[in-house]
Amino acid sequence: MEKLIITNAVTGSLTTREQNPNIPYTPEEIAQAAIGSWKAGASVVHLHTREPETGKATQDAALYKEIIKIIRSECDIIINVTTGGGPGMSLEQRLGVIPELAADPSLKPEMASLNCGSLNFGILNRKKRQFILDDVQMNPWGHLLKFADTMLECGVKPELEIYDAGMMNNAQVLLSLGALKEPLHYQFVLGVLGGMQPEVNNLVFLKDSALPASTWSLCAIGLNIFTLGPLAIAAGGNLRVGFEDCTYIAPGVLAESNAQMVEKAKRISLEMGREVATPDEARKILNLS
Ligand code: ZN
């Protein structure tokens, strides 16, 4: 079995400092979080940008450049930039940073996320029966094709974000149109409101639906990453941890840092007898050129 690739999603677009004061917002904080998680064993960092003052989700090329420069001055972690962005962003906002960053070889991300379909997306306060976030993540066909074509042109490997079963076939459609190149890399995102939930059967179904030569990773919202994660480790998949998906390190205990979550994932994997990949080992496994 290949070594485990740990991706650290350091900040995301939705979690806030009200939930956990340790979530990085500024470029310096985001970059230092990435460097810390690299030291802890992560080989990929998944980046979003935030307005430094407010923490509001942005998709800002200038902020990405600042973050990537600091990361690159310290380490060789694989950089994966979001094109999911955050609620309410346009296609142009979400995708525009990719060609802009790819134009400069020192800032070019090796990977970018590509959401493989539309879905209801939200945050629910069950007690109040209120949707705090009531959104649709819009990714119609034309957009999917445009995102995949742009990444192909820029030489950026898509990480195919799979939130629901039908999205596996959407990826196949893009492949059949020549917009994706094998081997594919999937991120199975389980547990968002509106998508597949973090259950063993769902993960097994997605794993079995993946193309034979592909690689995959599990992202499970909340502490599910640590309960379902061992199944992904055992099945030859990879793991994503970090403040984008989870603010706790254990039930009732807030995480101190992204690195602490990476350390926990690494510890579990090593205990299970599976080694953890360095960035260069991950580059080979993911077939990054
Ligand atoms: Zn993200």
Side-chain angles (χ1 to χ4, degrees), residues 146-224:
K146 172 86 178 156
F147 275 55
D149 279 343
T150 302
M151 289 180 201
L152 193 60
E153 279 161 26
C154 293
V156 173
K157 178 157 181 162
E159 176 186 83
L160 305 167
E161 310 298 309
I162 305 293
Y163 293 81
D164 217 344
M167 294 186 190
M168 292 302 282
N169 189 58
N170 295 359
Q172 300 261 27
V173 172
L174 294 176
L175 181 66
S176 73
L177 296 174
L180 296 177
K181 271 202 309 199
E182 289 193 83
L184 304 184
H185 179 64
Y186 307 92
Q187 181 77 261
F188 302 142
V189 186
L190 303 184
V192 305
L193 191 67
M196 286 174 104
Q197 295 306 296
E199 287 157 19
V200 170
N201 288 351
N202 287 341
L203 183 58
V204 170
F205 169 79
L206 292 172
K207 172 191 97 62
D208 288 347
S209 308
L211 290 179
S214 62
T215 49
W216 60 273
S217 173
L218 170 68
C219 161
I221 304 303
L223 286 168
N224 295 298

Side-chain angles (χ1 to χ4, degrees), residues 9 11-13 46-48 80-85 113 115 159 161 163 240 244-245:
T11 185
S13 64
H46 172 70
L47 294 175
H48 288 241
N80 169 326
V81 165
T82 183
T83 68
S113 62
N115 291 352
E159 176 186 83
E161 310 298 309
Y163 293 81
R240 168 170 131 172
E244 176 162 352
D245 313 315

Side-chain angles (χ1 to χ4, degrees), residues 40-264:
S43 47
V44 181
V45 62
H46 172 70
L47 294 175
H48 288 241
T49 54
R50 305 266 199 148
E51 281 179 5
E53 301 295 321
T54 63
K56 186 174 181 292
T58 60
Q59 184 74 330
D60 185 322
L63 292 176
Y64 277 116
K65 287 176 187 175
E66 221 179 313
I67 293 166
I68 294 170
K69 269 183 198 153
I70 301 170
I71 295 174
R72 279 286 167 260
S73 71
E74 290 283 332
C75 70
D76 66 343
I77 195 166
I78 295 167
I79 289 173
N80 169 326
V81 165
T82 183
T83 68
M89 290 182 193
S90 68
L91 163 82
E92 291 73 21
Q93 277 175 306
R94 286 166 46 196
L95 184 60
V97 297
I98 299 301
E100 187 165 349
L101 294 172
D104 180 342
S106 72
L107 299 173
K108 182 181 153 179
E110 288 166 88
M111 303 177 80
S113 62
L114 196 171
N115 291 352
C116 284
S118 303
L119 83 159
N120 277 1
F121 196 76
I123 300 173
L124 170 63
N125 182 327
R126 286 179 194 279
K127 278 186 194 147
K128 294 186 180 169
R129 297 179 81 240
Q130 234 173 42
F131 293 93
I132 299 161
L133 176 69
D134 186 356
D135 195 34
V136 177
Q137 210 182 72
M138 291 291 286
N139 296 291
W141 287 111
H143 289 202
L144 293 182
L145 190 56
K146 172 86 178 156
F147 275 55
D149 279 343
T150 302
M151 289 180 201
L152 193 60
E153 279 161 26
C154 293
V156 173
K157 178 157 181 162
E159 176 186 83
L160 305 167
E161 310 298 309
I162 305 293
Y163 293 81
D164 217 344
M167 294 186 190
M168 292 302 282
N169 189 58
N170 295 359
Q172 300 261 27
V173 172
L174 294 176
L175 181 66
S176 73
L177 296 174
L180 296 177
K181 271 202 309 199
E182 289 193 83
L184 304 184
H185 179 64
Y186 307 92
Q187 181 77 261
F188 302 142
V189 186
L190 303 184
V192 305
L193 191 67
M196 286 174 104
Q197 295 306 296
E199 287 157 19
V200 170
N201 288 351
N202 287 341
L203 183 58
V204 170
F205 169 79
L206 292 172
K207 172 191 97 62
D208 288 347
S209 308
L211 290 179
S214 62
T215 49
W216 60 273
S217 173
L218 170 68
C219 161
I221 304 303
L223 286 168
N224 295 298
I225 191 58
F226 295 118
T227 47
L228 198 56
L231 180 63
I233 296 169
N238 300 285
L239 286 189
R240 168 170 131 172
V241 296
F243 280 132
E244 176 162 352
D245 313 315
C246 185
T247 54
Y248 289 90
I249 189 72
V253 185
L254 290 177
E256 287 167 16
S257 64
N258 278 286
Q260 189 189 24
M261 292 185 252
V262 172
E263 279 161 12
K264 180 166 175 169

